[in-house]
Amino acid sequence: TQAGPIQHGPKALFSDVSPAFRKAFARATGRRDFPNFADPASPDYYETDRALFGDFVEFRVQSIIDFQKGILDGPDGFRTRFPDVLFATWTISLARENGLAALRENESQDPGRLVAELRPDMHILQSHYPDWYPQQQTPTYLAKYAPYAGAVKAPSPAMPLGVQLDVCSTCPWRRSPEWMAAAYEQAASLGAGSTTYYEFSLRWEVYFAPPKPVRAVLGADGKAMVIFDQRLAPASTK
């Protein structure tokens, strides 16, 4: 596995480069050579031999699609065994210029191809980490997902679309209710009828909204018990 920062351009190459993968690449493409990712002086360096690297990118994209095809439509596949079960496909999206092409090259993401070949019941655009990591990120970043939504809708205009938001994993990054409301509007403007979330945290209200008493019980011993809508913590009780 070789990795690099996706936000700085086409340097993040997450891929199997094992001998078995190289053999599979050779069988599929007829290529005797394999892209070199470490030595800029090599004639096979991926930024030098772009035709070879293009075959590598295409092979990775198709391999991912074929793998999922096998699960869904192969012998005794999921769709045969469970014809009434709906399923969704996912691809990641990045709010940057030429992001659609960059993600295809870097991470084998081709939402249009995926939808056309797998025929899911729904597709979800997942926010990539450079989009949710900035603490002051605004919901308007979703507007830059229009090319991804267009790629999904091109082969299947009626395809239900969803967007995965990251509402963030540490306290300072948690998104407020107002932020979420604006994000819903942005998602709807893309044609998304659904949203879901990526987080390792409790919701914003748990940490920043005042707890509200919802019920009180007076015991036989004369002691009262007050039940709140959420946990009581030193910060929230202020």
Side-chain angles (χ1 to χ4, degrees):
T1 300
Q2 303 184 39
I6 180 69
Q7 65 266 47
H8 297 312
K11 302 294 183 183
L13 304 169
F14 299 92
S15 178
D16 184 354
V17 293
S18 67
F21 183 89
R22 291 168 181 254
K23 290 179 181 178
F25 173 75
R27 286 195 304 269
T29 64
R31 290 277 194 175
R32 294 184 178 181
D33 301 319
F34 190 80
N36 181 296
F37 299 106
D39 181 11
S42 169
D44 298 328
Y45 189 59
Y46 79 103
E47 289 188 331
T48 302
D49 192 338
R50 296 302 289 176
L52 177 62
F53 181 61
D55 286 349
F56 170 82
V57 171
E58 173 63 23
F59 178 67
R60 293 205 308 159
V61 169
Q62 193 61 50
S63 295
I64 290 173
I65 293 173
D66 288 346
F67 174 75
Q68 294 181 72
K69 276 184 179 177
I71 294 173
L72 293 169
D73 298 316
D76 199 29
F78 185 88
R79 263 194 282 232
T80 300
R81 296 185 63 192
F82 306 102
D84 297 328
V85 174
L86 305 179
F87 76 96
T89 50
W90 297 60
T91 49
I92 54 177
S93 302
L94 184 61
R96 52 162 282 189
E97 188 177 356
N98 299 321
L100 193 60
L103 288 179
R104 185 180 189 278
E105 180 170 302
N106 289 316
E107 301 186 26
S108 309
Q109 302 285 311
D110 193 324
R113 282 266 294 283
L114 197 75
V115 166
E117 296 197 37
L118 295 181
R119 311 181 320 280
D121 299 293
M122 180 182 186
H123 188 79
I124 297 176
L125 302 176
Q126 174 179 332
S127 294
H128 206 347
Y129 81 88
D131 289 343
W132 51 257
Y133 188 77
Q135 184 174 346
Q136 302 304 319
Q137 179 67 280
T138 65
T140 55
Y141 82 89
L142 290 176
K144 296 181 180 178
Y145 286 3
Y148 305 89
V152 170
K153 293 289 187 179
S156 184
M159 170 70 59
L161 184 67
V163 175
Q164 183 204 54
L165 307 166
D166 186 281
V167 297
C168 289
S169 308
T170 59
C171 199
W173 271 260
R174 286 185 177 89
R175 306 309 187 188
S176 70
E178 293 77 18
W179 192 99
M180 297 300 295
Y184 296 149
E185 291 184 7
Q186 288 286 335
S189 70
L190 291 174
S194 178
T195 55
T196 186
Y197 314 102
Y198 178 81
E199 63 175 335
F200 297 107
S201 66
L202 300 174
R203 70 192 193 282
W204 181 92
E205 290 89 340
V206 171
Y207 292 89
F208 301 109
K212 297 178 181 178
V214 294
R215 191 160 59 95
V217 178
L218 183 63
D221 59 359
K223 294 182 178 179
M225 179 173 63
V226 180
I227 296 91
F228 289 82
D229 66 334
Q230 58 192 35
R231 73 169 195 166
L232 296 180
S236 64
T237 55
K238 293 179 181 179

